[in-house]
Amino acid sequence: LGIGGAERLVVDAAVGLQSLGHSVVMYTSHHDPTHAFPETTDGTLQVKVYGDFFPRSILGRLHILFATVRGIYLSIAMVLFEPRYDVLIVDQLSVPNPFLLAT
């Protein structure tokens, strides 16, 4: 969860849903509070991180492989350790979606 355009869109959508009375939790495999939108660090949004211990790449290679592994790990952690949700929005790779169907 960085500070790019896609992240801004997701954060704005989450804040908007909260303002309408919905309970919102953001799940990600990486969140650096020193390089993130204020809403994700000041308590406006609850952010939970699973899988940040996986590397993002090895020697500048295999980015997609590790993004996939991190996404699958995050999805499995959500299925095992988190409550069920009415709506999930996935803004990354679609590989973890079958795991999320279990939520």
Side-chain angles (χ1 to χ4, degrees):
L1 190 61
I3 57 171
E7 291 86 350
R8 178 78 262 170
L9 179 67
V10 171
V11 168
D12 287 347
V15 171
L17 288 168
Q18 270 188 334
S19 72
L20 294 173
H22 298 281
S23 175
V24 175
V25 180
M26 296 189 77
Y27 292 93
T28 183
S29 61
H30 177 73
H31 182 248
D32 178 359
T34 65
H35 189 71
F37 291 114
E39 297 90 341
T40 66
T41 60
D42 66 8
T44 301
L45 292 171
Q46 182 181 6
V47 178
K48 293 189 177 186
V49 180
Y50 289 104
D52 204 17
F53 60 88
F54 287 110
R56 297 184 75 187
S57 66
I58 293 180
L59 300 173
R61 299 175 112 23
L62 304 174
H63 290 277
I64 297 299
L65 173 65
F66 284 109
T68 301
V69 169
R70 289 163 72 109
I72 291 171
Y73 182 86
L74 171 63
S75 299
I76 291 171
M78 286 177 64
V79 169
L80 294 176
F81 305 119
E82 297 297 332
R84 303 299 181 241
Y85 291 95
D86 295 327
V87 177
L88 294 169
I89 299 171
V90 179
D91 79 330
Q92 289 273 327
L93 301 172
S94 61
V95 172
N97 287 354
F99 298 98
L100 293 173
L101 289 175
T103 64

